[in-house]
Amino acid sequence: MTIHRFDHSNSLLNTFIAEIRDEEIQKDSMRFRRNIERIGEILGYELSKTLDFQESVIQTPLGTKKMMLNTSNLVLCSVLRAGLPLHHGLLNYFDHAENAFISAYRHHPNGGDDFEVVVKYLAAPSLEGKTLILTDPMLATGKTLENVYEALKSHGVPNKIHIVSVIASEEGIAYAKKVFPDDTELWIAAIDKGLTDRGYIVPGLGDAGDLSYGTKL
């Protein structure tokens, strides 16, 4: 797996990451969603540099101009519900991409720290021979992405897989490396070291789904 990490360089991206971590700014859910969306836009722009391009001739009112345009056949797949703002950010830039959505949530069967990831809903086009971009803002243990990937296999084999996340744990990245093909590329805004006993990233930011859309039962 190739890892593209962006928290080691100074850029405006750090401002958006700082704001989604800040417990005071987090109280504004609309701003939280917008910052996740903006992070998705930045990561999408960086990812776009690795896609397939072909020369095209553009007709202007005064002549023609040769330009290199993206020709990759993209499918954006997001994990509901936390992945929606990140999905919107990528879709702002990859506006011709096909879209897929999958529900995956943590189920604590005994109310303790141990959990299993349950997948209940999947809507996706064929992935055969396409470029799959998987989006989930928090790559914590890696188990959610593993279950999502297994569910998507029924829709064909993509030619290339990109994973786009906002914050990952070192443990989650190590786990994802074992699950996904070697040529998978991870686009990550920041990497944190720790996980709580319940599998949340430390220092992280909390529950991205709840911060975006409110708490759930």
Side-chain angles (χ1 to χ4, degrees), residues 5-115:
R5 179 178 182 176
F6 296 95
D7 60 343
H8 280 170
S9 58
N10 294 329
S11 76
L12 190 60
L13 180 63
N14 288 338
T15 299
F16 305 145
I17 298 171
E19 290 190 358
I20 63 172
R21 290 186 190 270
D22 190 307
E23 61 181 359
E24 288 300 318
I25 300 176
Q26 285 180 353
K27 295 175 182 178
D28 184 346
S29 59
M30 184 167 63
R31 185 171 185 83
F32 183 87
R33 292 193 302 270
R34 180 60 183 128
N35 279 331
I36 294 287
E37 184 177 351
R38 291 194 287 190
I39 292 170
E41 291 171 346
I42 293 172
L43 296 180
Y45 169 74
E46 296 293 338
L47 185 159
S48 73
K49 299 174 184 178
T50 69
L51 300 176
D52 296 328
F53 284 78
Q54 181 176 319
E55 185 179 86
S56 297
V57 177
I58 305 300
Q59 180 69 51
T60 80
L62 300 177
T64 60
K65 178 65 177 180
K66 292 181 179 179
M67 300 186 69
M68 298 299 293
L69 299 180
N70 173 35
T71 58
S72 298
N73 197 351
L74 303 177
V75 178
L76 304 179
C77 180
S78 292
V79 179
L80 300 174
R81 62 184 170 153
L84 289 176
L86 191 59
H87 188 102
H88 290 159
L90 290 162
L91 195 59
N92 287 343
Y93 281 19
F94 301 127
D95 44 295
H96 296 297
E98 295 181 277
N99 295 269
F101 299 94
I102 186 167
S103 72
Y105 67 93
R106 297 180 179 191
H107 173 57
H108 297 265
N110 301 312
D113 294 335
D114 294 335
F115 66 90

Side-chain angles (χ1 to χ4, degrees), residues 60-207:
T60 80
L62 300 177
T64 60
K65 178 65 177 180
K66 292 181 179 179
M67 300 186 69
M68 298 299 293
L69 299 180
N70 173 35
T71 58
S72 298
N73 197 351
L74 303 177
V75 178
L76 304 179
C77 180
S78 292
V79 179
L80 300 174
R81 62 184 170 153
L84 289 176
L86 191 59
H87 188 102
H88 290 159
L90 290 162
L91 195 59
N92 287 343
Y93 281 19
F94 301 127
D95 44 295
H96 296 297
E98 295 181 277
N99 295 269
F101 299 94
I102 186 167
S103 72
Y105 67 93
R106 297 180 179 191
H107 173 57
H108 297 265
N110 301 312
D113 294 335
D114 294 335
F115 66 90
E116 58 185 5
V117 176
V118 179
V119 174
K120 281 195 172 182
Y121 171 82
L122 170 62
S126 170
L127 304 177
E128 191 67 36
K130 299 176 183 177
T131 298
L132 173 63
I133 302 177
L134 279 175
T135 71
D136 192 9
M138 308 299 285
L139 202 177
T141 66
K143 293 179 181 178
T144 295
L145 283 179
E146 177 186 26
N147 281 265
V148 167
Y149 181 45
E150 289 299 318
L152 288 172
K153 287 181 178 179
S154 63
H155 284 62
V157 179
N159 183 54
K160 178 73 175 181
I161 299 176
H162 295 274
I163 300 171
V164 177
S165 290
V166 177
I167 301 176
S169 72
E170 293 179 348
E171 181 179 324
I173 292 175
Y175 192 86
K177 285 181 178 179
K178 299 176 183 179
V179 172
F180 286 87
D182 290 340
D183 65 344
T184 299
E185 299 191 39
L186 170 65
W187 303 83
I188 187 74
I191 299 176
D192 292 349
K193 288 185 176 295
L195 285 174
T196 68
D197 291 338
R198 291 179 69 86
Y200 286 93
I201 299 172
V202 177
L205 53 76
D207 190 301

